[in-house]
Amino acid sequence: MLLANIVVTGINYAHSHAYTGFGGIWSILIAVALFFLALKARMYALGDQDRIIRLEERLRLASMIPAEQMAELDSLTMRQYIGLRFASNPELPALARRAIREKLTEKQIKEAIVSWRADNNRI
């Protein structure tokens, strides 16, 4: 809707005498600002959610493997952690090690999961 608002405001500015001068330009600037405000807010929320997923998966891994092996898993990327969230507890440690060793992408990790664990809490 906010993107459509930019288009409609631009069309109105181009075709209407009511939108001439500073008032028309101001309307376009406000429309663009609202669009970017909504986009930025959404990106912050997704970034926060990804960080929470990483934390949850690190805690889940820490509860399954010895502390000295956790250092090995420090090289997992954010996207790898996001892919690992779907792995069941029994296959998670081995799949995490494989993800590091083979530099698996999020998609490859998801395809390698045998026993799927649903993530129904994603916003």
Side-chain angles (χ1 to χ4, degrees):
M1 288 301 296
L2 292 174
L3 188 57
N5 184 45
I6 293 171
V7 173
V8 169
T9 304
I11 291 170
N12 283 340
Y13 178 72
H15 293 4
S16 174
H17 297 292
Y19 279 96
T20 58
F22 183 71
I25 293 171
W26 183 253
S27 296
I28 293 171
L29 288 174
I30 294 297
V32 170
L34 286 173
F35 174 77
F36 281 110
L37 176 69
L39 183 65
K40 193 73 166 172
R42 179 68 180 149
M43 297 308 292
Y44 277 136
L46 289 175
D48 286 346
Q49 188 161 328
D50 289 346
R51 292 180 68 180
I52 292 167
I53 289 169
R54 180 181 60 193
L55 176 61
E56 288 174 341
E57 293 310 309
R58 285 182 61 82
L59 289 172
R60 191 161 71 117
L61 277 164
S63 72
M64 295 179 194
I65 62 173
E68 59 273 0
Q69 292 179 9
M70 270 306 286
E72 175 190 0
L73 301 178
D74 284 341
S75 62
L76 283 167
T77 67
M78 180 79 78
R79 301 311 309 172
Q80 287 173 321
Y81 276 116
I82 291 169
L84 288 169
R85 79 183 184 275
F86 296 111
S88 65
N89 287 346
E91 67 182 314
L92 179 63
L95 187 55
R97 288 186 192 97
R98 182 176 164 211
I100 293 168
R101 195 174 51 251
E102 299 176 22
K103 295 183 179 10
L104 298 178
T105 65
E106 178 182 353
K107 183 179 179 186
Q108 291 170 324
I109 291 170
K110 289 177 183 178
E111 290 170 351
I113 295 172
V114 176
S115 180
W116 197 264
R117 182 180 82 113
D119 182 6
N120 297 322
N121 297 319
R122 184 98 172 147
I123 296 173

